[in-house]
Amino acid sequence: MTVWTANQDQLALFDDIADQYITEHPEVKSITFEPLPFEDYTTTLTTQVAGGKAPDLAWILENAALDFVDSGALAPIQDALEKTDGYEFDDLSESATALWQKDGELIAYPFSTSPFVMFANDDLLRAAGQPTAAELQAAGKWNWEGISEVGAAVNAATGKAGFVVRDFDYTSWDNLASVWMGWGAEPWGDDGASCEFDSPEMVDAFTFLHEAAFDKKSMPGPGTTADFFAGESAFTVTQISRASVLPDSGFAWDLLPLPEGPEGEYSMVGQAGIGVMASGKNAPVAADFLAFFSSPENSKKLAQWFPPARTSQLSTETLAAANPVLSAGQIENVVIPGIETGVVRPGHTDSAKVGQTVRAALDAIWTPEADIEESLIGVCDAVEPLLGK
Amino acid sequence: MTTLIKSPAGRASARPGGRRPLTHLQRDALAGYLFVAPQVLGIAAFVLVPLALVIYFSFHEWNVLANTFTFVGVANFERFLGDPQVAPVMRTTGIFSVALVFFNISLALLLAVMLNRSLAGITFFRTLFFSPVVVSLVAWTIVWGFLFQDNGGVNGALELVGVDGPNWLREGPTAMAAVVIVQVFKNVGLNMVLFLAALQGVPQELQEAARMDGAGPRTIFTRIVIPLISPTILLTFIITIVGSLQVFAQIAVLTQGGPGISTTVLVYYLFQQAFLFGEFGYGSVLSLVLFLIVLVLTVVQWQLRKKWVFYEN
């Protein structure tokens, strides 16, 4: 099975589960987990398939979900899961499985449904003479304008960054969905065929981001990096799974939901699925192992890193037991509502080409004198021919 | 002079029930074939077979995920001719190659001339300039990526002398300049060593004779040294041009072809089409175009050598 994580603790748990399966199924000689670098994950996986070396199971990132589900690259797994004793298939939440279905049938297992949240460095906020995250929220300023205002003050006082949209880095633009959803913006219409980058909501959202980067300096500009977990920024938007590195960060931190936008509260989730590769050599056995890997017992064990798709396990008790880093209040107020109401990060078929085309066109925005509206019209001009296909 | 000695075994001496022994000539031929076999097999396996496959793939549309492989005739070639991205990509490739060849060879020659003398500690400087050649390309590029950040080391150094540096990797012209600088410093040491070896092969007596005839340093350099090292100049031209057309890691690490498509050279465009977008058929067409460009440029340079390369014999 190919995975994107190289975290030794996570791999050790995967190996433990695989060893249990082999003990119960002596006909299976070995199960190995092959970590692939996250940045090139889908490219490497596709190249393996092209070279006739497809893995039996593969972790699928959500931005490539439609490509894998629609193309027939994955073998259906619903039968195998439903037939497994004690699997409790109906426990899988509808919102978690929506992305991974084709013609009403589950094609891949929604392995991780991880909400995007806002982490805050309270020590840095205090050092800059600014309110902590909880104080901001209590004062009714937990919104993007408030975050930008405080972020600008932190930058002016300490030279450190205000807020960072993690992994965006002025290339991975789909991470900005965690901001523009607050303006009610969408990159394309529901049918995926019409470009919405030039909508008034999107123009407003990008105007906010542009001002934050170039005028207020509340967000690091292009070509400047700041790592929240190294204490270099006051706030960061990222997925809850990053919380595991916080104990080593050496500063007081807090976890809050995404700030409100002009359209009010919202939440977004990132998803990863695990699918059985149709071109793999052991598809039936792989589906059986996936049923074992995602059983209620193993799902509970994996919940410490990968928020489960099982409704019964979306409880403070289960998640608190799995996540010693987070408080019960943070799980109850941030994690569970985030999972329950979160909209999946936008995706599209032909994701790599669409992503690259938008990235190249969006570069026009990231200069100090950019005309936001014209640039976003340019994005639509570039990407619309691809959306209609 | 070669003398062929006919071996007694070379005569027809059929031995009933036994194999006819090899003649000297046959043994020599066999030894020759065995010596060249590894190279021939290597070229066949790693050059000819892939080349044939690329030609084959270029006539097909291959959807890896859907596992379909369809013959599409010359559709991929027609797409190349109508692709609006091709012209800017070719222009970017040309600009990068010309800039790289000019700066790399000029700097390498300058360094070689400066280091071609017997001074205390000269070996240290030769090693210093050569050392980037043996450094991992990706590690080298990542370090330069940090240096070229807006708040990185390059702009920090410029600030010390009162210059407000550009946002190197985020503006089209400076992004291209940054990629060229990274590549020039990475490989200039190799060409420098080649030039250094060539300069040390220039006979001192020729330069001495020219000096006695009243030639100045510039005349000696342009009329004596340059012609005598011209075979090395040809070699460095060929390997630098071929190398410039194959630049990939620096683009992938530093700019991913951006901003916009301002640093998308042909190899990176090929990579995008084939491996990012899964368009293996179209990617194969781009591979063939790249192969033809390298081939034509190399042949042209090889033919032009007769006009400017000086061979003592």
Side-chain angles (χ1 to χ4, degrees), chain A residues 255-337:
Chain A
L255 170 71
L256 277 85
L258 292 176
E260 287 180 27
E263 292 293 309
E265 290 181 6
Y266 66 102
S267 55
M268 183 174 106
V269 292
Q271 273 199 330
I274 296 180
V276 173
M277 298 301 297
S279 50
K281 294 185 176 73
N282 306 295
V285 179
D288 193 55
F289 174 65
L290 178 56
F292 182 83
F293 193 74
S294 60
S295 68
E297 296 75 31
N298 288 327
S299 175
K300 200 178 281 185
K301 290 179 194 166
L302 291 161
Q304 58 185 303
W305 293 293
F306 310 105
R310 292 180 174 276
T311 314
S312 64
Q313 292 179 357
L314 274 185
S315 66
T316 308
E317 186 189 359
T318 307
L319 292 174
N323 287 280
V325 175
L326 303 182
S327 70
Q330 287 169 333
I331 290 171
E332 195 169 332
N333 299 324
V334 183
V335 181
I336 294 177

Side-chain angles (χ1 to χ4, degrees), chain A residues 222-224 352-353 356 359 363, chain B residues 149-150 167 256 260 276 279:
Chain A
T224 308
K353 197 182 286 185
Q356 165 62 21
R359 198 278 301 158
D363 278 344
Chain B
Q149 293 279 320
D150 194 24
N167 195 349
Q256 293 94 52
L276 287 184
E279 305 260 14

Side-chain angles (χ1 to χ4, degrees), chain A residues 149-345:
Chain A
E149 196 180 304
V150 171
V154 168
N155 180 251
T158 67
K160 296 196 173 181
F163 72 90
V164 173
V165 180
R166 193 171 172 85
D167 297 328
F168 160 50
D169 203 22
Y170 293 86
T171 50
S172 302
W173 56 270
D174 54 340
N175 285 293
L176 292 180
S178 57
V179 178
W180 74 49
M181 278 186 185
W183 275 256
E186 291 179 324
W188 35 76
D190 290 340
D191 60 357
S194 59
C195 176
E196 298 290 335
F197 270 100
D198 54 0
S199 67
E201 294 84 2
M202 195 65 96
V203 172
D204 289 346
F206 272 94
T207 302
F208 165 79
L209 288 164
H210 191 272
E211 283 177 3
F214 293 101
D215 301 331
K216 295 181 177 173
K217 312 283 187 192
S218 54
M219 173 172 125
T224 308
T225 53
D227 182 6
F228 173 84
F229 297 101
E232 295 169 354
S233 77
F235 304 101
T236 191
V237 176
T238 188
Q239 285 177 280
I240 188 71
S241 46
R242 304 274 186 173
S244 58
V245 297
L246 276 164
D248 302 326
S249 58
F251 55 78
W253 58 274
D254 203 353
L255 170 71
L256 277 85
L258 292 176
E260 287 180 27
E263 292 293 309
E265 290 181 6
Y266 66 102
S267 55
M268 183 174 106
V269 292
Q271 273 199 330
I274 296 180
V276 173
M277 298 301 297
S279 50
K281 294 185 176 73
N282 306 295
V285 179
D288 193 55
F289 174 65
L290 178 56
F292 182 83
F293 193 74
S294 60
S295 68
E297 296 75 31
N298 288 327
S299 175
K300 200 178 281 185
K301 290 179 194 166
L302 291 161
Q304 58 185 303
W305 293 293
F306 310 105
R310 292 180 174 276
T311 314
S312 64
Q313 292 179 357
L314 274 185
S315 66
T316 308
E317 186 189 359
T318 307
L319 292 174
N323 287 280
V325 175
L326 303 182
S327 70
Q330 287 169 333
I331 290 171
E332 195 169 332
N333 299 324
V334 183
V335 181
I336 294 177
I339 294 172
E340 285 176 342
T341 61
V343 176
V344 178
R345 186 164 41 174

Side-chain angles (χ1 to χ4, degrees), chain B residues 269-304:
Chain B
Y269 190 57
L270 185 167
F271 162 76
Q272 281 183 332
Q273 295 295 331
F275 296 100
L276 287 184
F277 306 161
E279 305 260 14
F280 286 96
Y282 188 50
S284 298
V285 170
L286 295 169
S287 301
L288 286 175
V289 170
L290 178 64
F291 173 74
L292 287 174
I293 291 173
V294 172
L295 184 68
V296 167
L297 283 176
T298 307
V299 169
V300 166
Q301 287 177 89
W302 190 247
Q303 292 304 316
L304 286 177

Side-chain angles (χ1 to χ4, degrees), chain B residues 49-72:
Chain B
V49 171
L51 183 61
L53 283 173
V54 164
I55 294 170
Y56 178 66
F57 291 154
S58 67
F59 292 99
H60 292 80
E61 187 176 298
W62 184 6
N63 186 329
V64 172
L65 292 181
N67 197 23
T68 56
F69 190 75
T70 316
F71 179 75
V72 293

